[in-house]
Amino acid sequence: MENSNDPKVNRRSFLQYALAGGAATGVANLTIMKDLFAQAPAGPIVIGHHVELTGGFASWGYWHDKAARKAVDLINQGGGIAKRKVVLATEDTESNPASGARKLRNLIQRANAEFVMGSVHSGVMLAAIPIATELKTIYMSMGEATEATGSKGTRYSFRTGMDTYSIAAAGVPWCMENLGKNWTVIYADYAWGQSHFQETKVIVEKLGGKVVGNIPVPLDAKDFVPYLTQIPAETQVVFSIFFGSLSVAFYTQSKSMGIGKRAKMYSVSGTLEAIAPADIEGAAEGVYILENFPRMLKYKDDGFHKEHNKIMELDDIDAREAGSKRIMAKSHAWQSWEDLYTLKAAIETSGYKTRKDTEGVIRALEGLPMKNSLGHPQGDKLLRKEDHSGILDCYISLIENGRFEVKKKIPKEDLAKNMPVRHDLSKMPV
Amino acid sequence: MIARTTIERGLLWGTGAFLLSVPWLIPALADRFWVNVIAEILIWSLFASSVNLLFGYVGLLSFGQALFFGFGMYGVAIGVEKLGLGFWPALGLGVAAPVAMAFVAGVFAVRLTWHYFAIITVVFSLIFYFLALTMKPLTGGDDGISFTLPSTFRFGASEWGFAQEAFQYLFILFTVAACLYAMRRLLGSPLGKAFMAIRDNDVRASLIGLNVYWLRLIAFVIAGFLAGLSGALFAFFGRYASATYMFYHVSGEAVVWTIVGGAGTLLGPLVGTSLFIVIREVVSTHWQHHSLIVGAVAILIVIYAPRGVVGLWRDLLDRWSAPKS
């Protein structure tokens, strides 16, 4: 035992040694532990969900959240992903790009999410992609802004669902053939509406039709009469793009003005998503809608769809939740379910173990085929290699007696043919 | 007994040392995520300082500062994405555009005071918000414009830019610190004294020969500069700009942060912004309705500490350091 009176060790030098020793041990510990965890990924795999639980998109976000939770339970019951339990980390984007960007960092840097299932809100999604790319994290986009898998896409952004480009490519050719060639596009005057207008116009004109009316409607419009009266007399197809309450107001007022009697009405699933036609007192009767997951089970009548509906607690007619009045946002929320299985397939195929292996998952996702199954109840599809876009079956439905009655299935092969690759993301550096 | 100034100076140095060490200290103690949260607090506190300059020192309550924040963001995003500018020219555009806008808006707005002034600033903000929302080819509307970051400095093969987290944080810290220091100097100058004279009594100020209209306009443009610079920094920080940031709700948040932190005090906006953003970050992960807590805290502070947290702190210090009889 050393003498505490030893001149070499006094109180001050002892404290200095203790502090230096502590610091050195701490640094060494941090370094060793860092490598240790980097090499031993046996723990759960964290997947982030960047979802709208509050704000303008909350009625859709509820379903995205529910679909993701149910799918995670299902995956974990089946042994997880690559034998690792899946932990779902959920963050509410508040339907706001500023919050969304922050919540994405939260998911990746705080919750340690290795992959993120992204937002259905285009603004949030586009704000998130540069951050996800910088943090080298795969982001499965769900919004419809075409930029996510186009001009603003990166190797890290993928979308199994649809964008304004694929929606136009899927629906317009059939409508041109069956509804008419003179189109008026009436839309909410913001990014989503304008994007639909631009993509639709291109395809209408390419197929020999004409856009005779272009009617942007301000977001704060209460009365549609001044806009509906602008629809030119020669219009054969009125293509409408509105969201939520604006959509209900449009359908109600256009019906009362008899627009549907002088032209065919066409729109996309987003305008009636999470809304039952019967609940708006027949205002949407006679409107053709492009869906990608039939609301009624009988139009994709297989065990996987049936089981999906059962797990999601939906009726098979209106997709209404048991014990509530909620209608599933069916043509969008399936992505939160299926994307987990898409990631599972890519992670397992690539042999992913840690974040260092993300490039392998990207390569596995590029061109990944998905088979109709419980993991992919929407049906067979392909995640196209070049533009990271989902190529999937779509359906033209007509609202009859308050129900979505499918009139035509648009096979994914036709969709692929009508939407040539515009951006090759697979050649971008990782 | 330790003097009040000694305590405040010590606290200031301590905070400064902490802020300087954040990029290294935080990752060793907590999630890296907090480095970005603190960077965001700094940016938003600069934004709140623009409200503070107008409200706390000139007596003008503006609900339109988001307009200049948005112009700052779009100056950067359009500069980088549409005009192909580098970091510094884009930053220059992100500052020049809101300053020019502040001058134009100010020419009309500062003729008015109190609720009329508040209303006209909201109206300006709403006009440009809706314009930005509809001008998708230029602004991206509510989808916004995302862009690839240009490097900030380049020496040969070496590059420094916002993609490096520590560099990004320190750049924001030094910019915000420089602005707060400049604001402190300004408030201590004859111009700053003139601002405060107008705040206290504009009629008396005009009677002693101050040109109230021009002085208010100068303050409005300086506040536009602060809001614009914070927007430009936020665009680089988020690699994104969107019309949603121009909504007057964004201005309202800055007003709340300023009042709660302490309007008319240099560091009040920093304190208020920190308080609310930290509450939000801690609570929002567990509970979506965190804004209820934020609202409750704001109400309590306004009722029980009308001079804000900084005012409360100073009262406590005064009471503590007062000589006991």
Side-chain angles (χ1 to χ4, degrees), chain A residues 230-418:
Chain A
Q230 291 176 34
I231 296 173
E234 68 266 36
T235 301
Q236 293 170 305
V237 181
V238 175
F239 177 44
S240 62
I241 295 292
F242 296 100
F243 180 79
S245 57
L246 214 54
S247 187
V248 175
F250 168 78
Y251 285 126
T252 307
Q253 292 189 35
S254 58
K255 187 177 174 66
S256 67
M257 286 181 68
I259 302 296
K261 287 178 186 155
R262 47 183 258 228
K264 301 284 187 190
M265 306 276 285
Y266 168 62
S267 191
V268 298
S269 60
T271 64
L272 272 178
E273 200 71 306
I275 299 171
D279 293 349
I280 54 174
E281 294 166 354
E285 279 295 299
V287 178
Y288 289 88
I289 299 280
L290 181 86
E291 299 184 276
N292 58 41
F293 196 5
R295 203 171 282 195
M296 291 174 74
L297 174 73
K298 70 177 183 182
Y299 292 114
K300 183 184 175 290
D301 196 5
D302 60 35
F304 305 126
H305 189 177
K306 196 175 180 66
E307 183 65 11
H308 166 268
N309 281 4
K310 193 177 151 200
I311 293 170
M312 291 293 289
E313 302 161 294
L314 304 177
D315 77 43
D316 295 335
I317 306 291
D318 294 323
R320 195 184 296 272
E321 187 179 41
S324 84
K325 287 188 171 177
R326 292 177 190 272
I327 305 290
M328 183 178 176
K330 208 168 172 185
S331 282
H332 291 83
W334 59 264
Q335 293 172 85
S336 294
W337 173 297
E338 288 203 7
D339 283 357
L340 282 157
Y341 282 89
T342 305
L343 286 169
K344 174 178 159 69
I347 289 167
E348 289 174 350
T349 308
S350 67
Y352 173 91
K353 292 213 165 30
T354 69
R355 280 184 162 276
K356 285 183 291 183
D357 307 320
T358 302
E359 186 172 349
V361 181
I362 291 173
R363 291 189 192 285
L365 285 170
E366 288 174 339
L368 184 80
M370 289 156 264
K371 290 298 291 175
N372 185 33
S373 59
L374 186 55
H376 297 284
Q378 187 275 337
D380 288 346
K381 62 180 69 60
L382 171 76
L383 198 47
R384 191 156 66 177
K385 181 184 174 187
E386 292 83 0
D387 56 4
H388 294 189
S389 293
I391 304 292
L392 60 161
D393 295 336
C394 295
Y395 303 83
I396 303 274
S397 300
L398 177 64
I399 310 295
E400 285 178 325
N401 302 316
R403 291 179 176 175
F404 282 73
E405 303 284 355
V406 172
K407 298 295 168 188
K408 170 73 182 170
K409 178 178 175 181
I410 314 285
K412 59 184 186 305
E413 293 75 17
D414 287 4
L415 173 62
K417 197 175 69 189
N418 293 334

Side-chain angles (χ1 to χ4, degrees), chain A residues 94 98 102 134 152 194, chain B residues 81 134 136 146 239 245 281:
Chain A
E94 300 167 19
R102 198 174 51 249
E134 223 170 272
K152 300 293 176 191
Q194 291 174 7
Chain B
E81 185 62 20
T134 53
K136 187 173 186 283
S146 56
R239 292 77 163 135
Y245 293 91
E281 289 311 323

